[in-house]
Each structure stands twice: as C-alpha cells, then as structure tokens.
Amino acid sequence: MSSTSHSKINDFVVRFANVNGTGSASANFLFTKSVFRMGIPVTPKNIFPSNIQGLPTWYEVRISEKGYLGRREGVDLMVAMNPQSMEGDVAIVKTGGYFLYDSTKPLHANYIRDDINYLGIPLMEMCNREYTDPRQRQLFKNIIYVGALSALFEIEFAVLEKLIAEQFPGKEQLIPPNIKALKMGVDYVQANFKFPLDIRVERRDLVKDAIMIDGNSACGLGAVYAGATVAAWYPITPSTSVVEAFSDYAAEYRTDKETGKRNVAIVQAEDELAAIGMVIGANWNGARSFTATSGPGVSLMNEFLGLAYFAEIPAVLIDVQRTGPSTGMPTRTQQSDVLEAAYASHGDTKHVLLFPSTPKECFEMTADAFDLAEELQTPVIVMTDLDLGMNDHVSPPLEWDDKRVYKRGKVLTAEDLDKMQRFGRYLDVDNDGITYRTYPGTHPTKGSFFTRGTSRDEYAAYTEDGGAYHRNMDRLIKKWNTAKNMVHAPQLYQEKSTRSTGVVFFGTSQYAAEEAIELLKAEGIEMDALRIKSFPFNQTVVDFVNDHEHVFVIEQNRDAQMRSLMMIEFSANPAKLVSVLNYDGMPITADNILKQVSQKLLLSQEKTTA
Amino acid sequence: MTYIRPKFRHPGLPKNELGYTLAQYEGALSTLCAGCGHDSISAGIIQAAFDLNIQPHKLAKLSGIGCSSKTPTYFLSNSHGFNSVHGRMPSVATGANLANRDLTYFGVSGDGDTASIGMGQFVHVIRRNLNMTYIVMNNGCYGLTKGQDSATADAGSKNKSGHVNLFESIDLASLAIELGASFVAQSFSGDKEQLVPLIREAMKHPGFAFINVISPCVTFNNNVGSTKSYDYVREHIEGTGTKDFVPMMKEITTKYAEGTVQGVKMHDGSDLQLHKLANEWNPEDRISAINAVKTASAKHEILTGLLFIDRNTKDLHHLIQTAETPLNQLGENVLCPGNEVLKDINAGLR
Ligand SMILES: Cc1ncc(C[n+]2csc(CCOP(=O)(O)OP(=O)(O)O)c2C)c(N)n1
Ligand code: SF4
Ligand SMILES: [Mg+2]
C-alpha cells in the first residue's frame, strides 16, 4: 500500500459505484445511517439513471464534522462495484485516496494509478463460497463491503448490528445472515489490510436530535398535517414519492381502523392536466387539495393554472424540479422551472412560489402553502428539486404546533350570507384585493355564483366590458401586493447590510452557498447573504439588492432565472447582478461557487485597478 | 346586450314538494342563437330538477367551453356553477365530487369539448364511475368557433358551408357503454317527452350517467346534407321505432299501451319503466346494448332512450372507500395527527 499524506477524520467523501437494480441502495443507506448514528453530519446523494435495471448508478456520501451538507467534489474512497463505469470511477479518486474493488478477478492494468491505494476484496469468491442462491450472493456482496468499510473507517460494529436489527422487525430470521455478512467484511479487512485508514470516523455528538429524511416524504407529511384531503397526481420522477409518502402516511393516520373508510381521496389521474383539474375542482368545493409534479407536468398544467389564478381558486402544487428542457435529464437535479412556474399560463398571470431548502422547510412550507393558497385564493407552488426531494438529508426534527388552526381564508357561511344585502364574489370589501367566496351548497338562495375563466364583474356576471376587466386585473395586482407581506420573509445572514458585496441564493443551493461563504470569510472575503424563500419578493429582498454594489446570484440553471425574475419584478439593475450558475445536473458544490466567485471578484478588481 | 327577464310570476304557478316553482330552477336568459337545440336541453334540465325536488344549492353544475358549455348559466341560478377550460370539465367535476359527496353533480359538454380535446378526460371519468350526470349537447360541429366539423360528425355529412366530412365519426354512446359507463342514454333536444325523464333518471343514478343528446346547431349545421339537422334527426329517430324507449316515473307510463312496459326496481324504491319496444336488446346487458346501438347506426338509425343501465353500480367513493362525511367538512381535529405523532415519526427517522 502506498503511503498517503492526508489524514482526515470525519471529513471525506465515499462514493459507491453500483449497477442499478442490484439491491445496493439499502446497503449503501446502512453505511450512511451508521455514520449518522456515530453522531456525525452526513449527506448522501443518489446519482441514478432513468432506468430500472442494468445501468450504472452511484451513491455518494459526504461525511463532514463541520456540518457541511452540500456535495463536495472529489472522492476519497471509491467502492467500485460496477465494471461498466470503472474507468471513470478510478479517474475521480483524489490523489492519496482509496479504490475498493472486487479482487475475485485481477484488476485491468488500465485501472491502475500509482497515486491511489487499492483495497481488493474477493467479494464474489466469498459470496460464492458462502451462498448458493444467486440473489443472496448479489445482496450479501453489498453487505460485506459495508462490513469492510466499517472496519476500515472504525465505525462501531454495534451501531451496524443495531441498524440491521431495526431493519427487519418481525423478520428476525433475516438478522443473523446479515450480521454474518458484515462480519465477513470486517474479518477480511482485519486479516489483510492495515486499518483503520487515515480517513476515518470518530464518534461525536454533533447530530443531536436531528433526523434523516428526504424532502418528498417531508412534503407528503406536511400535506397530511395541513389537512389535505384530495390528492391527484400523475407519476413522474422526481415527484412521485411525494404522493407515495402522502398516501402511506394517510393510510396510517387517515384511515378508520375498523371500517377502512378514509378521510382522504387519492386519485392517480390520466395526466397532469386532469391532476390539476381535480385539485382545482376540490379546492373550489372547499377541500384542501394538492398535486405534485415536475417540469413536464407543470408545462401541461399551464392552462389550468391560469384558470385558477384568474377565477381565484386555491391550489397547491409541489414542483420537484429536474433537469430540463423537455425530458432533459429526468433523474438529475436543477432549479430551472423558476420562470415557468412564476408566470405559468398565458395572459398576465403570476403565481406564488415557495422555495424550501431543507426537509424541515419542505414539511413547513407545504403546510403553509395550503394556508396561503386559501387565504390568497390562488395557486401556490412549492419549488423543491430532485436533490432535496429524493435524497436523504440531515434535518432538524419536524415540529407541529398543536394550537395551529388552518387558515381557510375568506369564506362566507350561510349566517354571513343572511346578514348581507348582496354577495359580490369579486367585490373588494376589505380593500386588500382579496374577496369573499362561498362553497357550493352553503345557502338555498344566497351566495351561489358562477366560476369562470372568462371576464366577469364584481358580482361574477360575465362581461366583456373593458372597464370591468381592467378593474379586476388591477385588483389582482393589489392582491399580489398583499401577498408580499404574507409569504415567507427571506433569511438574512446578518443584521444589516454592511458590505458592498452581497450573495443571493435559494432552495438547495443553501448548503453549498453557506459553506462557500464561510470558506471565503476564512480567506478574508466577507459578504452579506440573503436566502430567498418566496415569490412575490418582499421588500427585504428588494432592499438587499438595492443596498449592495454587487450581488452574486447563485442558482442551478443556465439562464439565471431568479436573476431575471428580480429584474422583471423590481427592475433590479442587471449590471450589479452577477450570476453564479451550475447546470450539469449535479447538486451545486461549494468548490464550484468558490471558483466562480473568486474569478469574478478578481475580474472586478482588475477592472477597478485598470 | 343585457337581457332582463320579467320578475313577475303568477302566484298560482305549480310548486314541487319543496314549494319551489319551476321559475326557481331557471337561470339567466340564454344568449344562444334562437332555435339552438341547446336551449331545449336547458329547459329539460330545469324541468327534471324541478320534478326531482332537487334543492338547487345542493347541485353543482360544471361545463367545459363551447356554446353547449355556456348553458349552465341558463339553468339553476341558485346552484354554484363552474365553466372550466375546454375539454376538462370531467377532472374539475371529479375533484369537486371527491371534496363533497353529498351534492349532485351535473356536467354539460359539447361534442367538440368531449369527443376531441376532452376525449381523454371523458374516457377516464367513465372508468372511475364518478357519480355525476354528464350531458353532451351533440351538434356534430364546433358551434362557438363557427361551425368546423367535430369528431361526432358523420362521414359524408355536409355542413352549412358545403364542406363534406371525410372522417369516421366517434359514437359517444357506444363508446361509453364499452368503457363501462353504468348509465348510458341517447336522446334528441327536440323530444322533451323523452329527454326529461332520461335526465331525471340520470340524476338519480348512483354512478356515472351519460346522455348523448343530438342538439342541432341552427346556425352552422342544420342544412340539407347534415346528419345532425332537425329534419334528419326527426326522420331517422322515427325510423327506429325505439323513440318511445324511455325510463320514466310510474305515474306517466299511462301513455304507453298496456303490456308494452317493463318495470325495473330502482335503488331509491321508484320504478323505472322500460318500453317493451326495446325487446331487441337487454338494457342491462352491456354487449346486447352495444349491439343494438351498432346495428341501428349501420342502418343509419339513431337509437334513443335508455340504452344501458347497471343498477348495482359502485361509484368512485365506494371504490376508494372515502368516509361518509364529506371531506370538505373535516377540520384539523380529525385531519391533523398532531405533534405527539410527529415526535414518533421523528424518532423513526434517527
Ligand atoms: C384550449 C382551447 N382551444 C380552443 C378553444 C376554442 N374553442 C372554444 S369552443 C370550441 C369548440 C366547441 O365545440 P363544442 O364543444 O362542440 O361546443 P358547441 O359550441 O358546438 O356547443 C373551441 C375549439 C378553446 N377555448 N380552448
Ligand atoms: S352557433 Fe350553433 S350551437 Fe352555438 S348557439 Fe348558435 S345554434 Fe347553438
Ligand atoms: Mg358542438
């Protein structure tokens, strides 16, 4: 084994290269969870193909004592289980890093580098010796390498034992063979390698009461807590697991155990048009209803979103963004639906957007989206992405205030109607742009009205009168301005702006952005920062941009969509908005931000000194 | 132009069991062309709702886009209405119905709205057996966009501008039967005697009830050579001899000769009377019903009346086991699992 110079405790990246469909996911998650149980912040990323079986798939785990939860470039240890991808897998190991492979057959000469260390374990041979069933050979091979890693990294074996026991409740017979496989890995390492490695895990108490959950599950759970009763959807990666999670939690918490009757209706629609149509119909009729989709689905939903905007019907849509345009890279992440969602549909249309960064925010913002949609009587789109939605994240525990009351917005009851002279569905009684609505079935003679996507007057009567149309469009803008103070305020990273340079980011760029800001600070470059949490922008966002000479806008798309949105909505000066972009389909990294920011800082220095 | 209907009503007008007069089921004055078949259907809907003692506010009326889809404005003004987007009424009706299973859902669509842009949603709302009445006001053309052929125009049919349709037509009634609709009827806007009882039965039916109503467009498709004109339809309905094949309440079966009526017990206890002239097929047998429709259309005849019924049908709520209490009436006390449960969920994620 060649000697290495780096020694990194609780600070390294392990990547698993597997073949899709070979059962590696649960073994790899076992590894992640064991690090988490050792009390160390950990971030796994699934890098998977749009395929069910056979294609390469990777699982990358960053272990960070400092709590950096973004992706980091470079691999310290590669678990190379896929001959198909081995050439590239060897290449990305950092100098001094490790390459763990199945040494049943000798490694091809092409894969030998003299600046990395090789850890050959005859996995296939061990499995063939131990198991006869081909599926078992496959599955336990994965468990053996997890065992080997635990010895190499000094992960406590008891932690793994406990995780295995928890994994098979009621199937106790499965526990011993798994433990045995883990031990085979441990034993091999102990007999053949110098261990632990210089990169290793040391127990800490850093995760406290944190949980590990993916954003989609958190969204689904948020919808359960917010009282969603109707969900309509059409399968699409990466949003599918939102409704699956909702469905699972609803099966648990919304089903009468005796009768089997459910306080929820979930419909797999024929397409996204129907899905959003159902959501609009249900909300119109007074039930909280939502759908989840991704870019292609949002494209299809455009016409209906315009109807909901104009006819003022609440709707909650969770957009788990993936790499576009078109089918793009369906299993890769991106923040590229920002403009599409903000202005979905023809005519002068705009929509409320929320940008969660963490699973906790997925939970909270999904719940808040239902309140906002009903209070504002308009669609609210929760803009998450594949990275947040489908990867597990270390997150603070989810909380619910039991005193919280659903905000159902301005809805008139039969008693209210009886006290009224005349009900005007689109009459701006409170001068905030938000009018009163009624649910069907409320009152025998008062309160019925006609909902339509065509122009109407304050009393919901069809009209082609330009004045009435104009008044209505202006009222919708008044409502929009009201919304600015109801949506989530941005997160400011300092009390008040002190420096000339600011950074703006949103959604999953948060992890990498925070890390980059800290690293820059260590080098003496200090910047103010702001994380956008919602659209329409509230005044704090406008002020932040106006108060800084230069503002870096970090986003994960090609066209700098958030930057455009700021230019369109509050005439932000394009000259001062400097884009930091990432659009290769992988979650943005701090290294990438650092590189782009330093380059641009340098350029501007040159300009000022020239 | 604004139309104002005179408010005065004669105090002696007949009232239904709820004490409502027919006028209380009316809507705004129609803005469709004089003589448009759609207006007759609206009148039929008003009459049927009156007859059935429907509380107008307990009914929701929904439509897509088209002249036909405008009609919900012209009936039941005390009902909430929803004029959605072109071809997508079924999804809106599905969501609405899921939110509140206690209301009656009444959908109106056109042949363009259903058989072209909305075909996908039509097919799927049938599959789901949503408890609603779905009427297609079928004029074989796109009235609102000025008379283009629709997918229900018969091949060879000629429209007002002389254009002859080259393509096979889609037969919505047999399609609905084939797809598993639990109530399928066909009628003609000019035949109120048949249409009103059909609408009544459709509204009572505990599942998806479809009525395809031939409804001539006087402005674009009522010419010689059109197979959806008043004259053509009148002639070809008479030809079938099944015009009288109507379901109706017992009290009005007297118009039919003794021995020609077959009674079917409905779930609400009323008798559905089927005219025996329909002996050629069994309206409770899907294959037999499809056969009858196909056989008639091969002879260029339009079979009207109740074509098929499955009285033991189970609607969407039954299939997905929704709670009896309408979902829109449930509050946080029932819907939210609370923070203690969340603590357990958190614990399972560590
Ligand atoms: C997405 C979309 N495309 C096109 C139209 C234009 N359009 C309005 S009504 C209509 C056809 C209506 O035909 P039908 O449903 O048969 O109704 P009719 O007017 O004949 O009663 C069309 C194409 C539209 N409103 N929306
Ligand atoms: S154009 Fe045709 S369908 Fe439309 S209102 Fe006139 S007659 Fe009726
Ligand atoms: Mg038509």
Side-chain angles (χ1 to χ4, degrees), chain A residues 232-235 267-276 278, chain B residues 124 128:
Chain A
W233 67 297
Y234 188 77
V267 180
Q268 184 184 323
E270 55 271 33
D271 54 31
E272 287 87 347
L273 289 84
I276 189 74
M278 291 176 197
Chain B
H124 288 275
R128 294 190 186 100

Side-chain angles (χ1 to χ4, degrees), chain A residues 364-385:
Chain A
E364 292 167 352
M365 286 187 175
T366 300
D368 295 345
F370 287 93
D371 283 350
L372 284 169
E374 292 199 312
E375 289 185 284
L376 292 164
Q377 300 175 22
T378 201
V380 174
I381 309 178
V382 182
M383 303 290 290
T384 139
D385 62 27

Side-chain angles (χ1 to χ4, degrees), chain B residues 164-245:
Chain B
V164 176
N165 173 41
L166 303 175
F167 306 104
E168 278 306 319
S169 69
I170 292 174
D171 175 22
L172 290 172
S174 54
L175 181 71
I177 302 172
E178 225 161 292
L179 289 168
S182 49
F183 179 111
V184 180
Q186 194 148 258
S187 191
F188 172 45
S189 63
D191 186 355
K192 203 174 171 183
E193 269 192 17
Q194 184 196 54
L195 181 60
V196 173
L198 278 176
I199 298 175
R200 275 200 307 255
E201 286 311 321
M203 291 211 267
K204 278 160 53 186
H205 180 71
F208 188 81
F210 175 62
I211 316 180
N212 180 41
V213 189
I214 314 294
S215 175
C217 169
V218 289
T219 306
F220 297 111
N221 203 14
N222 195 34
N223 46 284
V224 177
S226 161
T227 59
K228 297 276 193 295
S229 67
Y230 279 112
D231 288 347
Y232 182 93
V233 176
R234 282 208 180 95
E235 274 166 34
H236 289 76
I237 279 184
E238 248 128 41
T240 66
T242 56
K243 173 176 180 261
D244 299 336
F245 178 56

